[in-house]
């Protein structure tokens, strides 16, 4: 999902959407470790969005850890000044 507060979708809803996707994935009989979540990269509207991206990314990290899903954390590859 590419939900962003910039689009009017609150971080809590984005986290709920991702959790729903993980639940549906495993309910369909797929292994959790075959699902991969990716954190959000810095966004041009980041200053206007406040800490929304950080909140969403924290939720993604927690969801991946809780469910056993894979995770690609873009924080290791990007910076806010790119």
């Amino acid at each position: 999902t590419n939900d962003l507060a910039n689009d009017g979708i609150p971080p809590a809803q984005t986290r709920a959407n991702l959790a729903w996707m993980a639940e549906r994935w495993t309910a369909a009989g797929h292994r959790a470790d075959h699902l991969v979540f990716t954190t959000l990269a810095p966004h041009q509207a980041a200053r206007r969005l406040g800490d929304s991206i950080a909140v969403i990314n924290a939720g993604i990290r927690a969801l991946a850890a809780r469910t056993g899903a894979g995770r690609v954390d873009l924080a290791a590859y990007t910076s806010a000044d790119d």
Side-chain angles (χ1 to χ4, degrees):
T1 183
N2 289 322
D3 299 344
L4 278 179
N6 188 49
D7 299 323
I9 301 169
Q13 185 61 53
T14 296
R15 292 190 316 263
N17 292 350
L18 293 170
W20 179 85
M21 289 170 30
E23 180 183 312
R24 298 303 308 150
W25 178 262
T26 56
H30 303 294
R31 290 177 33 184
D33 64 348
H34 287 199
L35 178 64
V36 177
F37 291 107
T38 304
T39 59
L40 299 174
H43 190 275
Q44 64 185 0
R47 287 190 177 122
R48 198 168 31 83
L49 295 175
D51 64 352
S52 294
I53 291 175
V55 169
I56 292 168
N57 284 345
I60 290 169
R61 291 178 187 108
L63 179 62
R66 184 175 71 249
T67 63
R71 182 187 80 200
V72 176
D73 199 330
L74 295 181
Y77 305 102
T78 62
S79 66
D81 63 350
D82 279 351

